[in-house]
């Protein structure tokens, strides 16, 4: 039986309404926009989590479906047929910013909530997010990217993605107190704010969230982090997929830096590590038995020892298999991000110049 043939369970509005909802003042309408590509494993769960929200106001989901290689489109159509709150629009390019903009153009409500096809909202996410948007006056409210894996490899990726050793100190990864932030995971906006900003920049295949939040902050808005907003994120299932993901992250982060002249030590650490470790390894091998050659080889050896020890610490409480995989996962993330940053094509940066 294929994924498209599996039953899709949809919770209808009557099933998720609180007993006292009729007495609750009407809340702004919410449009959940979801760019979808090849998500047959996770799409039904992601949509179900949205429909299960006890949000006391109008709700719709707009699925922007790209040219999928799996049963995603069939699943999306069945979900839409089962619940009138779900609509499907086309995203011919399959690119994330194009899908977001297509869904935004079709959105009918005042509040726009971005959700990905492999993300699952925590209970009360929509109600809390809308309340925080109104309370703070922020242009965007978001929370924590709560990576959760199922297999030992995915659990290793999840542990790395929630650690400073793996991804740095951004609060949407590692947590922290509520307050203004450079960026947040996904995001909850007023539709008018997004339209006034021009939506998501179609040039940015990756890093479009960071780039949008930068423009919103430059225009005087506040991006607000709220730790109560947790979104379950499903990590990549293998080394190849993880390496591709982080290579693209590094490549596009350099494009953002070129567009907006923004960079930090945290973003320079992976490319600096790649250059230093590679140069030291080459020098050490070429130097043979010379004393300085042995000193040079201490740099890559030190990195290997660091990710091994760090991986064991990050994976405390995980299974032995997951802990054994963590050094590989951390090295894959570091090296892929660094190589992507270093090899980001000049032409790509020119094409995104203001």
């Amino acid at each position: 039986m294929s994924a498209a043939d599996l039953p899709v369970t949809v919770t209808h509005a009557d099933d998720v309404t609180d007993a006292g909802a009729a007495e609750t003042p009407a809340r702004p309408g919410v449009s959940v926009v979801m760019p979808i590509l090849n998500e047959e494993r996770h799409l039904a769960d992601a949509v179900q989590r949205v429909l299960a929200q006890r949000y006391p106001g109008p709700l719709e989901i707009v699925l922007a479906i790209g040219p999928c290689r799996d049963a995603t489109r069939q699943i999306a159509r069945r979900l839409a047929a089962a619940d009138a709150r779900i609509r499907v629009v086309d995203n011919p390019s399959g690119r994330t910013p194009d899908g977001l903009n297509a869904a935004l153009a079709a959105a009918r409500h005042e509040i726009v909530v971005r959700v990905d096809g492999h993300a699952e909202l925590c209970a009360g996410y929509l109600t809390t997010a809308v309340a925080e948007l109104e309370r703070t006056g922020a242009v965007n409210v978001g929370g924590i990217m709560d990576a959760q894996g199922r297999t030992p490899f995915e659990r290793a990726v999840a542990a790395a993605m929630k650690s400073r050793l793996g991804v740095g100190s951004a609060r949407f990864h590692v947590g922290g107190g509520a307050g203004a932030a450079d960026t947040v995971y996904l995001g909850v906006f007023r539709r008018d704010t997004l339209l006034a900003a021009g939506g998501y920049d179609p040039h940015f295949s990756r890093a479009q969230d960071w780039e949008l939040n930068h423009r919103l902050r430059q225009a005087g808005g506040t991006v607000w982090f709220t730790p109560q907003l947790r979104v379950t994120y499903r990590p990549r299932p293998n080394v190849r997929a993880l390496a591709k993901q982080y290579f693209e992250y590094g490549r596009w982060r350099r494009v953002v830096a070129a567009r907006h002249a923004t960079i930090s030590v945290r973003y320079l650490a992976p490319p600096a590590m790649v250059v230093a470790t590679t140069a030291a390894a080459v020098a050490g091998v070429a130097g043979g038995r010379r004393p300085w050659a042995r000193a040079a080889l201490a740099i890559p050896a030190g990195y290997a020892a660091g990710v091994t020890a760090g991986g064991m610490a990050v994976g405390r409480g995980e299974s032995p298999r997951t802990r054994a995989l963590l050094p590989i996962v951390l090295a894959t993330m570091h090296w892929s991000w660094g190589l992507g940053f270093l090899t980001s094509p000049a032409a790509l940066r020119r094409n995104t110049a203001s």
Side-chain angles (χ1 to χ4, degrees):
M1 180 180 292
S2 70
D5 298 323
L6 293 174
V8 175
T9 302
V10 175
T11 303
H12 292 273
D14 292 343
D15 300 325
V16 298
T17 303
D18 289 324
E23 302 174 2
T24 303
R27 304 300 295 142
V30 168
S31 295
V32 175
V33 297
M34 301 178 66
I36 305 297
L37 183 69
N38 299 324
E39 290 287 2
E40 69 175 12
R41 290 179 60 201
H42 304 301
L43 179 58
D45 287 341
V47 168
Q48 179 61 41
R49 282 297 187 91
V50 176
L51 296 177
Q53 296 282 311
R54 295 180 179 270
Y55 182 69
L59 173 67
E60 69 170 353
I61 302 173
V62 185
L63 305 176
I65 308 296
C68 301
R69 299 186 303 273
D70 59 13
T72 297
R73 184 172 291 274
Q74 295 94 305
I75 293 170
R77 286 173 176 163
R78 292 178 62 202
L79 288 166
D83 195 304
R85 293 172 293 174
I86 303 170
R87 291 188 291 133
V88 176
V89 298
D90 283 330
N91 175 23
S93 75
R95 299 174 68 251
T96 298
D98 295 336
L100 287 166
N101 287 333
L104 174 61
R108 297 167 175 161
H109 294 313
E110 177 184 346
I111 305 297
V112 172
V113 179
R114 175 180 174 175
V115 177
D116 286 343
H118 46 268
E120 300 171 13
L121 303 183
C122 68
Y125 183 95
L126 298 182
T127 300
T128 299
V130 173
E132 284 294 279
L133 196 68
E134 295 178 332
R135 183 187 70 82
T136 63
V139 294
N140 182 14
V141 169
I144 292 177
M145 180 183 187
D146 185 16
Q148 298 286 342
R150 294 185 173 105
T151 68
F153 182 85
E154 290 173 355
R155 291 181 65 84
V157 176
M161 291 182 74
K162 292 190 283 189
S163 73
R164 286 175 169 79
L165 181 59
V167 293
S169 59
R171 278 179 287 172
F172 76 87
H173 279 302
V174 300
D182 288 345
T183 193
V184 290
Y185 184 50
L186 301 177
V188 178
F189 316 80
R190 291 174 179 82
R191 184 171 182 269
D192 289 347
T193 299
L194 281 181
L195 293 176
Y200 290 85
D201 191 319
H203 292 299
F204 289 86
S205 295
R206 296 280 189 178
Q208 65 275 152
D209 286 331
W210 198 101
E211 194 278 336
L212 171 63
N213 285 320
H214 179 80
R215 283 188 282 123
L216 293 174
R217 290 187 292 107
Q218 288 296 103
T222 298
V223 176
W224 191 263
F225 172 78
T226 302
Q228 288 79 16
L229 299 177
R230 303 186 74 90
V231 181
T232 299
Y233 168 86
R234 298 300 179 187
R236 299 299 193 269
N238 53 56
V239 169
R240 181 177 179 180
L242 181 66
K244 180 180 179 182
Q245 178 187 20
Y246 273 79
F247 182 85
E248 292 295 318
Y249 282 171
R251 165 175 281 192
W252 284 98
R253 189 61 187 80
R254 187 169 178 183
V255 176
V256 172
R259 163 72 73 89
H260 296 296
T262 58
I263 201 65
S264 69
V265 172
R266 177 163 66 95
Y267 294 122
L268 291 175
M273 178 279 298
V274 169
V275 171
T277 303
T278 301
V282 171
V285 171
R289 296 177 177 273
R290 296 179 180 87
W292 59 263
R294 289 193 293 272
L297 289 174
I299 294 175
Y303 172 78
V307 294
T308 299
M312 297 302 288
V314 167
R316 190 174 292 113
E318 294 286 352
S319 69
R321 174 64 174 161
T322 295
R323 297 184 76 184
L325 287 167
L326 261 159
I328 298 171
V329 165
L330 288 166
T332 299
M333 291 164 65
H334 295 165
W335 277 82
S336 299
W337 205 103
L339 287 170
F341 189 95
L342 290 169
T343 61
S344 183
L348 190 61
R349 300 196 295 277
R350 286 194 298 270
N351 289 341
T352 59
S354 299

